[in-house]
Amino acid sequence: MPSLRSFAATDRFITEIADPATLRPGYVLIGDEIFLYDRCRRAVLSTLIPPDTRDFSLHDIDLAETSIFEALDRAQTPSLMAPFQVLFLRNLKTLYGRGSKKEEFAAIDTYFRSPNPQALILFVADHLRIPTDLRKMDYQDKERFERIRETLGDWCGIIELARVDESDAIKWVTTTAESRNIRFDPDAARELVDSLGADMMLISSEFEKLLLYVSAPAPAAPNNAVILSGAHSAQPKDPEESNSATALPSFQPPVSTEAPQTPPLARNRVTLGDVETMVLAAKQRSLYELTDAISAKDRPRALLLLHGLLNASDGGEDAAIGHLYMLARTFRQMLIISEKNVRDPRAIWQVLWQGFRMPPFAAEDLIKQARRYKSRRELTRAIRLVARADLELRSSPANKLLVLERLILDLSTEPKPTLYKPSHQFAMEL
């Protein structure tokens, strides 16, 4: 795999621990990129810890439950069961909480002045978020990062687990697939990375699923056209011959004259359609494109996107209720964004609760779509239209496609102003 800038820190770490001459007594894995952390951890286990001694040489310690004094004492004490020890110390933020922590850092300095050569300490600082561009790091995270560097940088190697750049993620997808003899189309790789917000943990999971999908052999078509030879002898010629106890059976087993069919080979190629079919976030992208056309009142594009969404669905029109659910959910999100007057994508996580948030790639687009609606009444009207279409679909209509097309046309049309007519009747919507 070619060297990628986003993987440079982990590549350097893997190279250092492989050579006893460059191995340092401690490292700080700083950042919340889980994919890169797992990459470092797997390298440590495969390089420094044999599988048969892993139970005695690997220690996962939570500093919120175990004091740093006890952890350092365990690292300083040689093990009788394993020649080398590795200690992962989590919750490093407890050392930088309230109080000066002078005794704790004094103990750390004392240990690293004379460390155990048969032990490796790995501090895990996953409470910091390091963006791809360090200039965009949050001010508070930057202060914490500098404090860790000042206190541990003299003794430990600092390994930055920053967010992976989108271009590097795309290259990782294509090159990793090529190493497994599978072609990953560039537009498919770009769609996979973009739809998952360059989250490498999600990308790697969906990547494995896609490779299994395209590398599995396709099911063989059933062969019903079987030509039988000797079929004329399957029925006895003489009725008396069949009643004779000594007559030999004249039935011959059917023999196929066609060559046996072998199952088709796997495609070993991932296309854009495969990503749109298998990855949920890519399906959601098509939905947000549909709501974008609806909010822009672009009726022709909205109808085209609707048909494309139905054609890409496994259930076709039968999945219409699921699409209506996502439409209603999206309009509810836009309603909250409009009511809270959200302008910055980072503020979305404050107004939308866990489980009701959109994918990261859609945050900015959804804010733009919500601002196209002039009032709360327009958004509530859209939600009512979706609810009415949902009721029609659950009533088993003759044509589900017509119901969906009418809904899209209604949503993409400017509401007509209604004159106020006084009435003595009141209705309450539930």
Side-chain angles (χ1 to χ4, degrees):
M1 180 183 298
S3 179
L4 302 177
R5 182 175 58 88
S6 300
F7 294 81
T10 56
D11 291 340
R12 174 171 56 85
F13 172 75
I14 294 173
T15 303
E16 285 188 12
I17 64 174
D19 187 358
T22 58
L23 178 64
R24 305 186 66 168
Y27 290 90
V28 181
L29 304 179
I30 183 169
D32 62 346
E33 180 55 71
I34 303 177
F35 176 82
L36 296 180
Y37 169 77
D38 286 346
R39 192 165 182 252
C40 294
R41 184 181 176 93
R42 287 195 301 268
V44 170
L45 297 183
S46 61
T47 305
L48 301 176
I49 304 178
D52 53 346
T53 63
R54 191 160 296 174
D55 293 338
F56 306 101
S57 56
L58 178 61
H59 308 279
D60 286 293
I61 299 175
D62 189 346
L63 293 179
E65 302 174 355
T66 305
S67 67
I68 185 64
F69 306 104
E70 183 178 347
L72 294 174
D73 182 68
R74 187 177 301 183
Q76 190 68 55
T77 305
S79 174
L80 299 177
M81 305 298 295
F84 197 88
Q85 295 186 84
V86 174
L87 295 88
F88 284 89
L89 304 186
R90 294 185 172 274
N91 264 324
L92 182 62
K93 62 182 179 181
T94 57
L95 294 179
Y96 298 91
R98 295 181 178 178
S100 60
K101 308 290 184 181
K102 292 182 179 180
E103 297 181 358
E104 286 80 355
F105 286 109
I108 293 175
D109 289 339
T110 302
Y111 171 80
F112 282 110
R113 291 181 186 278
S114 179
N116 181 8
Q118 302 301 323
L120 173 65
I121 296 180
L122 296 163
F123 295 97
V124 181
D126 54 1
H127 61 289
L128 302 182
R129 184 184 186 277
I130 304 179
T132 304
D133 188 355
L134 296 180
R135 295 172 299 179
K136 298 181 179 180
M137 183 185 293
D138 183 76
Y139 180 75
Q140 188 176 14
D141 286 341
K142 185 179 294 186
E143 284 189 337
R144 294 172 178 173
F145 181 85
E146 292 299 329
R147 189 177 179 189
I148 292 175
R149 186 188 293 275
E150 292 172 359
T151 52
L152 298 177
D154 294 338
W155 308 110
C156 302
I158 305 296
I159 309 299
E160 300 173 3
L161 306 181
R163 296 285 176 171
V164 177
D165 183 70
E166 289 189 4
S167 60
D168 289 341
I170 294 173
K171 293 178 183 178
W172 179 87
V173 169
T174 54
T175 54
T176 306
E178 288 177 0
S179 66
R180 303 188 189 182
N181 298 323
I182 294 178
R183 171 176 169 75
F184 213 109
D185 290 351
D187 54 348
R190 189 176 297 105
E191 176 66 19
L192 175 64
V193 172
D194 195 24
S195 63
L196 296 175
D199 188 327
M200 283 301 301
M201 204 63 187
L202 292 176
I203 291 173
S204 61
S205 176
E206 297 295 334
F207 173 80
E208 296 294 338
K209 183 171 68 175
L210 285 167
L211 260 58
L212 288 175
Y213 175 68
V214 300
S215 61
N223 184 15
N224 297 325
V226 179
I227 302 176
L228 303 180
S229 63
H232 62 278
S233 61
Q235 299 294 332
K237 296 179 180 179
D238 190 354
E240 295 181 0
E241 182 179 356
S242 62
N243 295 330
S244 174
T246 59
L248 295 176
S250 59
F251 175 76
Q252 296 181 4
V255 179
S256 173
T257 59
E258 295 186 358
Q261 293 186 355
T262 57
L265 296 177
R267 292 184 288 119
N268 288 343
R269 178 187 176 188
V270 180
T271 63
L272 178 61
D274 296 328
V275 176
E276 293 177 345
T277 301
M278 299 297 295
V279 181
L280 175 61
K283 297 180 182 179
Q284 291 179 343
R285 173 176 296 278
S286 300
L287 177 72
Y288 290 119
E289 291 177 355
L290 175 60
T291 57
D292 180 71
I294 291 174
S295 62
K297 310 303 179 186
D298 190 346
R299 301 173 74 181
R301 185 164 71 97
L303 287 175
L304 288 176
L305 289 170
L306 170 66
H307 287 279
L309 192 63
L310 293 176
N311 292 333
S313 301
D314 297 335
E317 294 181 16
D318 294 334
I321 293 180
H323 295 320
L324 289 186
Y325 166 76
M326 294 303 298
L327 271 177
R329 177 187 174 94
T330 305
F331 279 112
R332 288 177 60 203
Q333 291 170 341
M334 285 193 283
L335 179 61
I336 297 176
I337 291 173
S338 178
E339 289 181 339
K340 300 296 183 179
N341 196 23
V342 177
R343 304 288 176 142
D344 190 346
R346 292 175 296 181
I348 284 184
W349 319 122
Q350 301 175 2
V351 299
L352 297 182
W353 53 92
Q354 183 72 25
F356 192 63
R357 296 169 182 165
M358 71 289 295
F361 69 86
E364 188 172 352
D365 290 339
L366 210 58
I367 293 176
K368 181 180 67 175
Q369 295 175 28
R371 295 181 63 180
R372 290 175 180 167
Y373 291 93
K374 301 175 183 178
S375 63
R376 182 178 185 273
R377 178 177 298 178
E378 293 185 12
L379 287 169
T380 55
R381 168 185 173 269
I383 296 175
R384 291 193 189 98
L385 290 174
V386 176
R388 187 180 67 183
D390 180 76
L391 182 60
E392 292 184 28
L393 287 178
R394 296 179 187 275
S395 302
S396 301
N399 193 324
K400 296 180 180 179
L401 180 59
L402 290 178
V403 176
L404 294 175
E405 288 179 343
R406 187 176 63 189
L407 170 65
I408 298 303
L409 291 176
D410 291 340
L411 291 173
S412 306
T413 305
E414 290 285 351
K416 297 180 181 180
T418 56
L419 297 176
Y420 174 74
K421 295 182 179 181
S423 175
H424 298 287
Q425 296 180 352
F426 298 88
M428 181 176 63
E429 292 182 6
L430 299 178

